[in-house]
Amino acid sequence: MIPLVKVRMPPREQLMPALERVLYGGMIAEGEEVYAFEREFAEQFGLPNVLAMSSGTGALHVAFLVCGVSPGDEVITTAMTAEPTNTTILQIGARPVFADVEPDTGNLAPAAVERAITPATKAICVVHYAGYPADMTALRAIADRHGIALIEDCAHALGARIAGVPVGTIGDAAIFSFQAIKHMTSVDGGMLALRDPARLDLARRLRWFGLRKGVPRTEVDITTPGFKYNMNNVTAVVGRHQLPTIGEAIARHIENGRFYDRAFAQTPGAMPAHVAADSEPSYWLYTLLCDDAAAVEAALVEAGITASKLHRPNHLHSVLAPYAGSMPGLDHFYGRLLHVPCGWWVSDADRQRIVDIVTEAAR
Ligand SMILES: Cc1ncc(COP(=O)(O)O)c(C=O)c1O
């Protein structure tokens, strides 16, 4: 059985003593482990101004708020994503406006984003779907031209780069997820990265009820109500112990992804998602586009290999259906989409077997 996604834990002999120290050390809530994780993660992934959060969803909620998204505002977004990207917009009372995606990547199409802008648009939320970077040069230019915020949902894209620059550094705010099956997990958790350090103070307060850490509880004054979105020392210690080896895990996703890109370049009935010349995906999932995705999926599953579409286009949910328009790019992409395993657990023999099965089933 080759799974599509897999939980990766640090070596037991390294993690368990550190975890035990934290669990029985008297300080399990937000503290030094969290702040050390923030510093180390920021340095390793080249990110400015980061805050560790209890989830990627919490980080995204705060990202929208610090970028000024308020009830009634429009946020241009993608339906080709996991649900939290868009339920978070609803949670604020803002209005998701679905722009179409590129049929060969599933990522927001800049031309469709530009068409969707109205005087009520406050932000664009872009997802680097499955770990393939979106066209950030075009999206940054659109956001700047219209004076609106650009928020990067990098939940799938840890370690991906665009023209040598890490994802998460081009948007005004960006988020990462450390939920169970992402490239890297802290059991649950997320990271918020902010371009403008002046937004850190509000983000910190929104992370913790609206309170300011370090001010005595009897004196502190809440001026903006916040949430309970802070990371704790226990999950932070899991995150910290992932960092020494996460580079090699991501490198294996990339190596397998590039192997498939070469192997499927000439396969009748199946093709790789498009990778732009300056784009370095981190291939959380490998995106294959098939003439008959169901037949290829059935052949892989029959051989004990998990392959699926994994996500449901969000506008198919009742709560998001009212915001859907015509999206021919998404329809084309989703009809042909099949994710196949490409993570650190996929061996050279596994990936060759996957190529052989796809080649046979896709023709
Ligand atoms: C694209 C995307 N955005 C946001 C999230 C939210 O992350 P989390 O599960 O850490 O809250 C996820 C993961 O579930 C995701 O896949």
Side-chain angles (χ1 to χ4, degrees):
M1 179 76 195
I2 306 174
L4 182 58
V5 291
K6 191 163 175 166
V7 172
R8 183 173 188 274
M9 273 291 140
R12 183 186 299 263
E13 59 283 7
Q14 287 167 25
L15 177 61
M16 293 316 282
L19 204 48
E20 202 169 322
R21 258 195 313 278
V22 168
L23 282 170
Y24 295 96
M27 184 59 200
I28 58 173
E30 180 188 320
E32 277 315 312
E33 287 291 341
V34 174
Y35 307 136
F37 180 43
E38 287 173 342
R39 285 192 300 274
E40 291 162 3
F41 182 84
E43 180 167 340
Q44 191 159 332
F45 291 99
L47 297 162
N49 311 313
V50 303
L51 290 182
M53 315 287 278
S54 54
S55 69
T57 308
L60 195 55
H61 190 187
V62 171
F64 286 129
L65 292 173
V66 298
C67 288
V69 176
S70 308
D73 288 340
E74 292 180 358
V75 178
I76 300 174
T77 180
T78 172
M80 198 57 253
T81 182
E83 289 79 359
T85 308
N86 292 308
T87 51
T88 313
I89 298 171
L90 292 179
Q91 207 178 328
I92 292 172
R95 191 180 163 81
V97 175
F98 291 122
D100 204 0
V101 302
E102 304 284 10
D104 56 0
T105 63
N107 282 330
L108 272 183
V113 169
E114 183 108 54
R115 280 197 300 276
I117 288 176
T118 74
T121 307
K122 191 75 185 192
I124 300 165
C125 179
V126 57
V127 176
H128 304 296
Y129 184 66
Y132 294 69
D135 184 349
M136 292 303 287
T137 309
L139 292 172
R140 184 71 261 177
I142 294 170
D144 290 345
R145 202 156 53 243
H146 294 274
I148 56 183
L150 180 61
I151 293 150
E152 283 180 80
D153 181 338
C154 308
H156 298 177
L158 184 65
R161 300 169 82 85
I162 303 163
V165 170
V167 295
T169 58
I170 301 166
D172 299 283
I175 70 102
F176 295 83
S177 164
F178 309 131
Q179 169 267 345
I181 57 167
K182 295 300 181 333
H183 282 105
M184 167 176 149
T185 183
S186 61
V187 182
D188 248 326
M191 197 68 81
L192 172 67
L194 296 172
R195 217 179 193 205
D196 180 357
R199 287 181 165 152
L200 272 172
D201 179 56
L202 174 60
R204 269 200 191 96
R205 282 183 285 129
L206 290 172
R207 173 168 77 167
W208 199 55
F209 307 124
L211 292 166
R212 211 175 234 125
K213 288 260 177 202
V215 181
R217 203 64 174 253
T218 48
E219 293 164 29
V220 70
D221 181 38
I222 292 179
T223 52
T224 309
F227 308 90
K228 180 76 191 301
Y229 284 160
N230 59 296
M231 184 175 273
N232 63 63
N233 277 353
V234 181
T235 51
V237 90
V238 179
R240 282 189 79 189
H241 280 78
Q242 300 276 10
L243 293 176
T245 58
I246 192 60
E248 64 201 56
I250 294 172
R252 183 65 187 175
H253 280 254
I254 294 173
E255 201 187 316
N256 284 337
R258 289 183 178 159
F259 173 85
Y260 289 141
D261 281 345
R262 288 191 297 275
F264 295 128
Q266 308 296 337
T267 305
M271 60 185 267
H274 176 66
V275 177
D278 65 351
S279 165
E280 296 172 54
S282 59
Y283 299 95
W284 177 52
L285 305 165
Y286 188 77
T287 299
L288 189 63
L289 300 169
C290 306
D291 293 349
D292 187 347
V296 179
E297 179 176 338
L300 287 166
V301 170
E302 168 81 25
I305 297 157
T306 313
S308 79
K309 294 183 187 290
L310 201 65
H311 296 106
R312 186 170 196 222
N314 289 185
H315 65 293
L316 301 180
H317 290 285
S318 300
V319 286
L320 290 159
Y323 309 100
S326 157
M327 289 186 275
L330 188 150
D331 294 341
H332 188 76
F333 175 80
Y334 196 67
R336 294 165 57 78
L337 172 64
L338 187 64
H339 291 303
V340 301
C342 94
W344 51 268
W345 59 95
V346 176
S347 69
D348 288 6
D350 292 339
R351 70 189 189 185
Q352 186 57 55
R353 199 153 74 85
I354 290 170
V355 167
D356 293 344
I357 294 166
V358 169
T359 306
E360 181 63 29
R363 69 169 99 235

